[in-house]
Amino acid sequence: FPYLGHFNLDWDRIDKYCNSGLWFDLGYPRIKNEDDHWRHQKNKQWYNDNNSSVKELWASEQDFFPDSWFDTLKLRKDIPYTAKIFWTKPGNFEPPHVDFFPSFIGEHNQKGDRWSDEEIAIEGKKILRAWIPLQDSKLGHILYGEDYALAKWKLGDVFELPSGVSHGFANGGTKDRFLLVFTGYRNGEN
């Protein structure tokens, strides 16, 4: 997971927003309808609401990201981005998966068809997904990939979740985990 740098966002304001009580419970599988995206269906034999529960708080309209964020990371400011905060309690896991950005690009392409793997691979190269922990690392909090696990970070550290890379998260500790995920378009210079 490439390290993008250390950023000084308005952590107090973000923390205050986290305490707003507007959380939405996400069960597992994230998509309940069998007709919905197949990518979420393959893990449901192992993961369920008992071991893969997470709460989500939409933060796109909160303007947490200053111009310097977009400039430093070479991101487009003229196209809307998504920002979501995730709250994971101890004993919960995000199964291995590859992001296909449904909350950012939608479930369907411009022709109205489901995005194909090939289309997602092409579109994914234009997108930056940033993993922004909202606290220093805690024992048992792990971001993992195919050949790598990240278990140490500080508030303000930002990492990229590269498109097409399998990853997941484990909260095998005793403390809640809070994370901000930013998804936006690159400006073409990256």
Side-chain angles (χ1 to χ4, degrees):
F1 305 103
Y3 179 69
L4 298 177
H6 189 87
F7 290 83
N8 291 314
L9 301 177
D10 189 342
W11 305 117
D12 290 334
R13 192 166 143 253
I14 294 170
D15 186 58
K16 187 175 182 179
Y17 185 64
C18 286
N19 290 312
S20 68
L22 302 172
W23 293 95
F24 176 74
D25 281 314
L26 295 177
Y28 200 87
R30 303 284 181 258
I31 297 173
K32 304 288 187 191
N33 183 336
E34 291 297 326
D35 294 331
D36 283 333
H37 214 288
W38 63 268
R39 287 171 180 82
H40 284 289
Q41 300 300 331
K42 64 183 177 179
N43 287 320
K44 72 180 185 178
Q45 74 184 56
W46 302 290
Y47 295 93
N48 55 58
D49 289 343
N50 295 317
N51 66 6
S52 188
S53 180
V54 66
K55 292 178 185 265
E56 174 183 82
L57 180 62
W58 278 84
S60 300
E61 304 298 323
Q62 297 303 308
D63 199 27
F64 289 143
F65 301 95
D67 287 348
S68 60
W69 167 268
F70 293 91
D71 295 341
T72 301
L73 295 177
K74 298 180 179 155
L75 299 168
R76 294 191 59 177
K77 293 183 248 183
D78 60 326
I79 298 178
Y81 61 86
T82 61
K84 295 190 272 185
I85 300 171
F86 295 96
W87 173 12
T88 309
K89 292 193 168 289
N92 285 280
F93 302 82
E94 179 70 24
H97 64 282
V98 174
D99 290 338
F100 64 99
F101 317 110
S103 63
F104 185 62
I105 62 173
E107 284 277 333
H108 301 89
N109 62 23
Q110 293 172 340
K111 296 180 280 184
D113 300 324
R114 283 192 196 276
W115 289 94
S116 69
D117 288 342
E118 296 78 23
E119 290 171 320
I120 291 170
I122 292 166
E123 195 69 13
K125 291 183 185 335
K126 304 173 191 173
I127 296 170
L128 173 78
R129 176 154 285 175
W131 192 82
I132 310 162
L134 296 179
Q135 63 205 117
D136 291 349
S137 55
K138 307 284 186 224
L139 178 64
H141 292 191
I142 300 168
L143 172 65
Y144 62 88
E146 197 70 39
D147 298 315
Y148 181 74
L150 180 65
K152 187 107 176 114
W153 57 79
K154 292 287 188 190
L155 174 66
D157 289 343
V158 176
F159 301 87
E160 180 179 355
L161 295 175
S163 178
V165 173
S166 292
H167 63 280
F169 188 87
N171 184 351
T174 59
K175 306 283 184 197
D176 292 352
R177 182 271 313 214
F178 292 90
L179 170 74
L180 175 58
V181 174
F182 172 96
T183 308
Y185 275 105
R186 302 174 190 272
N187 68 12
E189 297 173 26
N190 327 48

